[in-house]
Structure formats: structure tokens, C-alpha cells
């Protein structure tokens, strides 16, 4: 039985707002546009909140000062997306936010907002060199699975998508859809996440939705250059495109990418696909003894 719905993956632009009103207006318009296309799941990118750093002129060019200043807007950011999700009857993955924990550490946190007003979150599990060596953003596992009316959803934030065991754990716990919000400043970085996302779709026989931040912000030491394209992937198998690409956007253009996905197809292909990598995964866990 089909459970198909429309997903909207954002190629969301970094921008230079001078007031919270501008931030609120832009996000509100983007959500309204996607809802008008009858999208039921809206996915914004990793560090999609970083444009908020422009609001404080004194810290906007300070790598560490900017995220401290952003904390003044963090509750408003979460509330904005929760309110919009409820108002439009959609699920929204908000652009991730460098979130200050009670112990003084910052994590990379993405909020999943439900139509009924509930808000959950996923923190990034594995940090890039920039995050851990220069920005002091901390990892905060575990990976979670969110039970929604659209299906079971997991979130692997950018670099997390490059580690098979994270997505595998989520899919073994029931995930049918993996969201990959991303932020990459080189074409190579974009392709690393793209290849990871496609590989996760293949080996777990599931849908993967990638959403990048795009554009340039010379004022920011964190998101000054952003390269990527949104995409929706599936396994290259029965019921899916031969290349596994359900939809993919043009590089670096601000837009919504729309696609229809059907979690029922995940159940079908895992059972009746030409191959069964999801089921046969345990057979790959073989330790080889190499004699010297």
C-alpha cells in the first residue's frame, strides 16, 4: 500500500540579515512556498541558522564570538520552525544551530518539528576537523530514529553520512528515510557527502534526502563559501531509478527541490529487490585472518 508524499529539500542560501524580522520573514516565505506545493516534509541544511550571526556586528567576524551571540536567538529559531510546522501541517527539519549545552560545550543541533507542535532534535555525532580543531563544536551521539506519520526518520548531519554504521544502526532500528542536512565549502566536500548519501541509500535500501546550504558570506569565518545541490536518493533497484537518483538540483542555486517518496517502497525492495544488502549486511561482518 502506497504511503507516498512530497518531500522538499532546500538549497537554502546564506544571507546577511540586519534584523530578526528579516530572518523570520525569509524562513516563513520558504516554508509557505513548499507547503503550497503540498510538501509534507521540509528539509533545511546543516548550519542553516548561521546567517543569524550577521545580526551582531561586533561578533559576526569572530569565529567563536558569533556562536555565543547567536544564543540570544536560539529559542526564537526553534519556536519559529515549530510554529510554522503546526500552522502548515508539515514536518520541518530546521537548519541546524550551534547550540550551547549546560556544560559549556557547543553542539551542532537540528530540530525536527512535527505538525502537532512536538519538537525533537538530533545532534551531530562525528565532527569534521574544522568543527573539532578550530570551532570547538562537540560531538553528541547517539543517532536517533523518529517515529512520524510519514514513516520512521533518522538524521545524519553532513559528515555523519560518511560513516556507514550510523545509518545502519538507525535502519536496524526501523528508519526508512534518512535526512542529510549538509554544509560544504568545496566541490570535493559536496561530493563526499553526496557519495556517502547515495551509498547509505544503496546498502540500507532506503530513501536519503540531502539539503545543502549555498552561497557566499564574506563576513562569516564559518560559512563564507557554501557549495552543494539538494537531492533525493534511493537504492538502484526495483521500484527506483536505475541510478538511484530520484531527484537532484543544480549546483549552488537557491531553490526547493521536490520529489515524491514512498516508504512502502523501502519495505518492498528490502524484501523483493534484485539484491538484499539490508538483509545480507551481517554476512559482511567477516573477520579475515591474514598470515604474514
Amino acid at each position: 500500500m502506497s504511503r507516498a508524499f512530497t518531500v522538499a529539500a532546500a538549497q537554502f542560501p546564506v544571507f546577511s540579515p540586519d534584523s530578526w524580522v528579516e530572518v523570520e520573514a525569509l524562513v516563513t516565505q520558504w516554508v509557505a512556498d513548499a507547503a503550497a506545493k503540498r510538501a509534507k516534509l521540509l528539509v533545511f541544511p546543516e548550519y542553516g541558522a548561521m546567517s543569524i550571526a550577521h545580526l551582531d556586528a561586533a561578533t559576526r567576524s569572530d569565529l567563536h564570538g558569533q556562536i555565543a551571540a547567536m544564543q540570544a536567538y536560539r529559542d526564537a529559531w526553534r519556536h519559529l520552525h515549530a510554529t510554522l510546522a503546526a500552522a502548515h501541517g508539515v514536518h520541518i527539519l530546521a537548519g541546524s544551530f550551534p547550540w550551547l549545552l549546560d556544560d559549556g560545550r557547543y553542539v551542532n543541533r537540528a530540530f525536527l518539528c512535527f505538525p502537532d507542535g512536538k519538537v525533537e532534535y538530533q545532534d551531530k555525532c562525528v565532527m569534521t576537523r574544522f568543527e573539532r580543531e578550530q570551532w570547538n563544536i562537540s560531538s553528541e551521539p547517539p543517532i536517533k530514529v523518529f517515529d512520524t506519520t510519514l514513516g520512521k526518520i533518522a538524521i545524519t548531519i553532513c559528515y555523519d553520512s560518511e560513516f556507514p554504521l550510523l545509518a545502519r544502526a538507525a535502519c536496524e532500528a526501523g528508519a526508512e528515510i534518512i535526512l542529510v542536512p549538509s554544509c560544504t565549502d568545496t566541490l570535493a566536500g559536496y561530493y563526499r557527502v553526496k557519495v556517502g548519501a547515495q551509498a547509505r541509500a544503496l546498502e540500507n535500501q532506503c530513501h536519503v534526502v540531502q539539503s545543502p546550504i549555498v552561497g557566499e558570506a564574506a563576513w562569516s569565518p564559518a560559512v563564507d563559501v557554501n557549495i552543494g545541490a539538494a537531492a533525493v536518493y534511493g537504492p538502484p533497484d526495483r521500484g527506483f531509478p536505475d541510478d538511484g537518483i530520484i531527484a537532484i538540483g543544480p549546483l549552488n542555486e537557491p531553490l526547493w527541490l521536490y520529489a515524491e517518496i514512498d516508504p512502502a517502497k523501502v519495505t518492498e525492495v528490502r524484501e523483493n529487490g534484485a539484491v538484499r544488502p539490508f538483509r545480507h549486511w551481517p554476512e559482511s561482518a567477516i573477520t579475515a585472518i591474514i598470515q604474514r
Side-chain angles (χ1 to χ4, degrees), residues 2-278:
S2 175
R3 293 187 281 137
F5 63 89
T6 298
V7 63
Q11 296 186 186
F12 190 67
V14 65
F15 60 110
S16 305
D18 292 317
S19 69
W20 171 254
V21 172
E22 291 181 45
V23 174
E24 189 174 50
L26 184 64
V27 173
T28 298
Q29 186 61 59
W30 271 67
V31 171
D33 290 347
K37 295 289 188 178
R38 299 187 178 180
K40 293 301 181 183
L41 175 60
L42 284 57
V43 185
F44 285 101
E46 180 185 37
Y47 293 124
M50 282 308 301
S51 294
I52 293 172
H54 190 267
L55 298 182
D56 185 46
T59 60
R60 68 172 62 136
S61 61
D62 181 341
L63 188 60
H64 302 288
Q66 63 176 216
I67 58 176
M70 286 177 66
Q71 301 310 304
Y73 299 95
R74 69 183 201 165
D75 290 334
W77 181 253
R78 178 175 56 188
H79 178 71
L80 171 62
H81 291 83
T83 299
L84 290 171
H88 291 282
V90 298
H91 291 76
I92 301 175
L93 182 69
S96 73
F97 198 107
W99 197 265
L100 179 63
L101 301 181
D102 291 341
D103 62 8
R105 294 182 303 128
Y106 287 95
V107 296
N108 183 355
R109 178 164 293 182
F111 289 99
L112 182 62
C113 303
F114 293 67
D116 64 1
K118 182 173 69 172
V119 178
E120 302 279 1
Y121 68 85
Q122 175 68 59
D123 294 332
K124 192 171 182 176
C125 297
V126 185
M127 314 316 291
T128 63
R129 292 192 65 186
F130 173 74
E131 287 171 309
R132 68 177 72 200
E133 295 175 15
Q134 299 180 52
W135 212 6
N136 297 330
I137 308 292
S138 298
S139 63
E140 190 70 8
I143 200 77
K144 304 175 183 178
V145 176
F146 305 96
D147 195 0
T148 79
T149 56
L150 303 176
K152 292 185 182 295
I153 295 175
I155 303 162
T156 57
I157 301 175
C158 199
Y159 194 38
D160 284 353
S161 69
E162 299 177 34
F163 296 90
L165 294 183
L166 291 174
R168 179 64 192 182
C171 289
E172 285 183 346
E176 304 158 299
I177 304 163
I178 299 174
L179 308 184
V180 182
S182 65
C183 175
T184 50
D185 63 355
T186 65
L187 195 57
Y190 158 66
Y191 276 112
R192 285 194 294 269
V193 178
K194 178 182 185 292
V195 169
Q198 288 186 269
R200 305 297 79 83
L202 183 154
E203 67 206 12
N204 292 296
Q205 295 181 282
C206 66
H207 293 95
V208 178
V209 182
Q210 182 179 358
S211 164
I213 192 169
V214 299
E216 297 184 3
W219 53 267
S220 173
V223 290
D224 49 334
V225 178
N226 305 278
I227 294 172
V232 180
Y233 302 115
D237 206 329
R238 294 169 182 162
F240 294 87
D242 289 341
D243 60 3
I245 301 173
I246 298 170
I248 191 165
L251 274 173
N252 304 332
E253 295 182 24
L255 52 78
W256 279 118
L257 177 74
Y258 298 98
E260 182 179 277
I261 63 176
D262 185 354
K265 288 186 176 181
V266 172
T267 303
E268 174 63 21
V269 77
R270 285 175 176 176
E271 182 63 29
N272 297 312
V275 291
R276 289 177 168 176
F278 179 73

